[in-house]
Structures are given as structure tokens and as C-alpha cells.
Amino acid sequence: MAQAASKTCEICVSGPGHNYCEQCDQLFCDGCKISHLRTKMTKNHTFLSGPNINPEVKQYCKEHDENFIYFCKECDAPICKICVIKKHKSHDFAEIKESTEGIKAEVKMMIDMKMRNLQSHKADIDQGNNKYQADVQQIVQTIREEGRQLKTMIDKEVEGFIKTLQKKDTKNVQTLQSVGNELKTALDKAKEQQKFYQDTLGIKDTTKLLQKLKQIKSQIDQIEVIQIPIMPSVKYVRQKVAESEIGKLFGELTFGETVKKEENPKPQKNVRVTTTAKQYRYRCRGCGTEITSE
């Protein structure tokens, strides 16, 4: 068997033995390796190459101290030529290289299938997440638009209340001002007669005083007594609205979960079913518009 410590080509015994032939159990330099692979009998040999290769790690049959050259399919284990005769003669076996190639192809196929399956699921998750985010943004815009509409309606209602109040206020103020003006006019006339009365206090002539008093009395009688109208009043009783009642003005927002199921799924090991929460609905109470994610 080749010695790992030599690291010298065992064919030309001069070049560095950086290439290990697994079938011949020998170290080759690059030139001898090329010649070896050109030979008809050894063209299919396989090499381990590199400055740090260690041929000692090659597996041997510990029972017979022989290389493993076959693979028993029934026992699922590598065997040597003596194992074939003594223990595995009636078993189904093949050359270890052939078996290795078969297992290699099987492993590659399993990896490819697993990769395709995982990539498909990853693509589904990415696509579902993108659609979910787009749906969320659409719902957000819908809710905000509904909020703006409700605010517009509230502002309109507020302006309506204020206009009604201002219209009634203008009418009442005009009425009160009119009555107030009439009262002022009557009061001015009464003050004028009061002045005339004050002037009569200096009249000594009884006849002249009598005439003046009659005139004042006549003018006082002509001053109309203005009746005070019923004074207007106004009050506003606030509506007590709880925050929970505000929510009833908006639509309904519901969430759900959807599970993607494969058609005719095959039993598989180490497969986890993924559930994604992405189905939900928003329905506007006002217009009845309904938005549902799928």
C-alpha cells in the first residue's frame, strides 16, 4: 500500500505524488497520472488530487485487511473480495464504483427534488406575501378614504347646525334691536316731557301752569307703552358618543387563514405544512363595497 509520508510519485519515483489512484492504491505525479488515464485498462480509474491527500483514510475490510471493492445491496455495506466468497456469495452486489455512481445519482436526484420543492414553496411564500402586502395597502387606502368621507359628512353636518343657529340668531337679534329702537324713541319722548315738567316748577301763574300741565299730560298719554317680547333662548345638548360607537361608522375588517394544499400530495418524510395568515375581508357599511384577499 502507498505510504502517505513519501508524497513521491510511485511510478517515476521523481515527481511529487499529488494524485492518488483509488483503484491502484498508488500515488502519481501529474505526468504519470495523464499516462495512466490514457491506458485502456485504467482509463476509468478515479483520482484524489491535492498536496494534502492522505491515502491512509481509504477504508479497508478490518476482518480481512483488504480493500473494499464491492458493495452488497442486500446488506447495504461495502465488502472486500474475501467477504464476497465467505459471507455475501448469494447476495446481490456490484462493484463499489458502480454502486457509488448509482448512490451518487440517487442523492443528486433527491437533492434536486428537495431543492425544487423548497424553491417552489419559497416562491409561493414570496408571491403570497407580496399579494398580502398589496391587499393591506389597498385596505389602508379604503379605510382612509372612508374616514375622509365620514369627516366630510361630519363637517357638512357641523356647518348645517352653525348656519341654522346663525340664521335664527340674526332674526332674533333684528327683532330685539327693533323693539329696542322703539323703546329708545319712547324713552326720548318721555325724557322730553320730563324736562317740560321740570320747567313748570318755576311758573307762578296758576292759569299758565294749568295749560302747560295739560299739554304735558296729553303728550305723555300719546307715548305708546312698548310690550317686551318673549326673550329668545338657545341651548345645545351634547350627544354622548363612546369611542366604541365611532367604530360602527366604519366597515368590517375580518382576518382569516388559508392553507395551500398540493394536488395529489405524496407522503414525504421531514415535510412541514406551512399555514399562512393572508385571507381577510373589509366591507364598508356605508356603500357596501367589499374587498377580499384571496
Side-chain angles (χ1 to χ4, degrees), residues 15-64:
H18 290 170
N19 305 285
Y20 174 72
C21 179
E22 295 181 295
Q23 286 72 31
C24 299
D25 189 23
Q26 287 182 302
L27 292 171
F28 287 73
C29 65
D30 292 339
C32 292
K33 172 186 174 183
I34 295 174
S35 299
H36 192 64
L37 293 175
R38 286 177 178 173
T39 302
K40 184 175 182 180
M41 293 182 63
T42 59
K43 65 179 182 178
N44 293 323
H45 284 196
T46 56
F47 283 84
L48 297 175
S49 299
N52 299 318
I53 58 172
N54 184 8
E56 292 294 340
V57 300
K58 183 176 178 67
Q59 293 184 334
Y60 287 86
C61 176
K62 295 181 180 179
E63 183 178 355
H64 305 113

Side-chain angles (χ1 to χ4, degrees), residues 161-179 232-234:
F161 271 113
I162 293 175
K163 285 182 179 180
T164 300
L165 175 61
Q166 291 175 338
K167 183 178 179 180
K168 188 67 175 177
D169 175 61
T170 300
K171 182 178 180 181
N172 288 336
V173 169
Q174 288 176 348
T175 300
L176 293 175
Q177 286 178 345
S178 177
V179 174
S233 63
V234 63

Side-chain angles (χ1 to χ4, degrees), residues 128 131-140 142-143 252-258 277-284 288-294:
K131 185 180 184 304
Y132 175 73
Q133 293 300 319
D135 290 341
V136 168
Q137 291 303 316
Q138 184 180 3
I139 293 294
V140 169
T142 300
I143 294 173
E252 297 175 356
L253 182 63
T254 57
F255 291 86
E257 292 185 350
T258 57
K278 61 178 182 178
Q279 182 180 13
Y280 57 93
R281 181 176 68 255
Y282 180 77
R283 180 171 60 84
C284 176
T289 302
E290 185 174 287
I291 299 175
T292 306
S293 71
E294 298 177 357

Side-chain angles (χ1 to χ4, degrees), residues 19 32 34 53 65 124 127 153 166 180 223 231 272 293:
N19 305 285
C32 292
I34 295 174
I53 58 172
D65 195 26
D124 290 340
Q127 181 180 3
M153 289 188 289
Q166 291 175 338
I223 297 175
M231 297 301 293
R272 183 178 62 186
S293 71

Side-chain angles (χ1 to χ4, degrees), residues 5 18 50-51 84-85 95 100 134 137 153 191 234 285 290:
H18 290 170
V84 172
I85 298 173
E95 289 187 4
T100 301
Q137 291 303 316
M153 289 188 289
K191 286 181 178 181
V234 63
R285 285 192 175 93
E290 185 174 287

Side-chain angles (χ1 to χ4, degrees), residues 215-231:
Q215 289 176 358
I216 294 171
K217 182 177 180 298
S218 174
Q219 291 296 322
I220 290 296
D221 288 339
Q222 292 179 16
I223 297 175
E224 184 179 357
V225 178
I226 305 301
Q227 296 296 325
I228 302 297
I230 297 175
M231 297 301 293

